Amino acid sequence: MANHQDGTGAAYDGVVELYASLFANRLETQPFTRAMIGTFAELVRATGNPRVADVGCGPGHLTAMLHELGLDAFGLDLSSGMVDHARRAHPALRFQEGRMESLPIEDGALGGVLAHYSMIHTPPVELPALLAEQVRVLAPGGLLLVSFFGTDGPEPVRFDHKVTPAYSWPADRLAQLLTDAGLVPFAQLLHDPASERGFLDAHLLARRS
């Protein structure tokens, strides 16, 4: 897993400014995504533990959104370039380098984890271990919101993402992986194709049992 993650981090280091210019304000045109993040934030606040990690935070725009929604949000990313950009763009918030397979967070500390298209580059065989790490840092009753490219087929589909190879997932298959990791999926949203590739935008919301 280390070599794969190192390659992903290096790929994103090379596109920091372009990526930020394309995506930092993209939610303005994505009402369904905003709604799911807003629902996630409301449910996390209701747990009484507002501490949330934006895992794979990129340029930090969603960390800032979570903060505006009343959460004690901080961002983690394996790309040092993305972390540097996020710190400059949002100096009042906390950002640090961190790998999804080995989060620098104590057991059971968080009320929520946001993984917004940050697991898409993980090969399917490695995803269960990644999910187990997200579960480890969640408190009982804590929430995980995973957003990803959805597909109607029976299996994950590898495709040539513009930064580095990625995978789309059947929502039911990914929901089963969440269940296997010790989470209880309870909300799912699939909506219009995210790109010319025709994948769906997909969101799964789950709670640690």
Side-chain angles (χ1 to χ4, degrees):
M1 186 181 292
N3 289 340
H4 154 67
Q5 298 287 9
D6 289 344
T8 300
Y12 275 95
D13 280 341
V15 297
V16 172
E17 298 304 323
L18 175 61
Y19 187 93
S21 70
L22 291 174
F23 291 100
N25 296 317
R26 190 172 178 181
L27 285 189
E28 294 176 1
T29 62
Q30 295 184 328
F32 293 112
T33 300
R34 291 199 309 273
M36 281 301 276
I37 294 174
T39 298
F40 166 77
E42 180 177 346
L43 293 174
V44 171
R45 291 196 305 269
T47 71
N49 180 357
R51 191 177 178 206
V52 169
D54 178 10
V55 178
C57 65
H61 55 299
L62 295 185
T63 315
M65 180 180 180
L66 294 173
H67 175 74
E68 292 168 359
L69 291 169
L71 298 176
D72 178 16
F74 61 98
L76 300 168
D77 204 284
L78 55 74
S79 163
S80 59
M82 287 292 184
V83 170
D84 289 345
H85 180 98
R87 287 171 174 166
R88 294 194 304 271
H90 308 284
L93 301 180
R94 292 168 290 144
F95 299 95
Q96 70 181 90
E97 290 184 54
R99 303 170 70 98
M100 296 182 74
E101 76 274 19
S102 182
L103 295 171
I105 303 167
E106 59 271 27
D107 293 355
L110 302 183
V113 170
L114 176 67
H116 188 78
Y117 292 91
S118 54
M119 297 186 185
I120 63 171
H121 303 295
T122 303
V125 69
E126 297 178 6
L127 196 57
L130 221 62
L131 291 171
E133 181 68 354
Q134 318 310 302
V135 173
R136 179 188 68 79
V137 301
L138 282 172
L143 294 122
L144 171 66
L145 176 58
V146 180
S147 299
F148 56 100
F149 294 111
T151 183
D152 291 328
E155 300 292 335
V157 176
R158 186 182 186 276
F159 67 95
D160 291 328
H161 186 275
K162 291 181 179 179
V163 179
T164 189
Y167 298 83
S168 62
W169 277 84
D172 290 346
R173 284 287 303 277
L174 191 52
Q176 184 59 55
L177 290 184
L178 296 179
T179 300
D180 294 344
L183 295 162
V184 180
F186 64 91
Q188 173 179 299
L189 175 62
L190 303 173
H191 57 95
D192 289 345
S195 72
E196 66 276 5
R197 301 184 188 95
F199 297 130
L200 298 172
D201 275 326
H203 313 271
L204 285 171
L205 187 54
R207 182 179 286 110
R208 181 180 175 183
S209 55

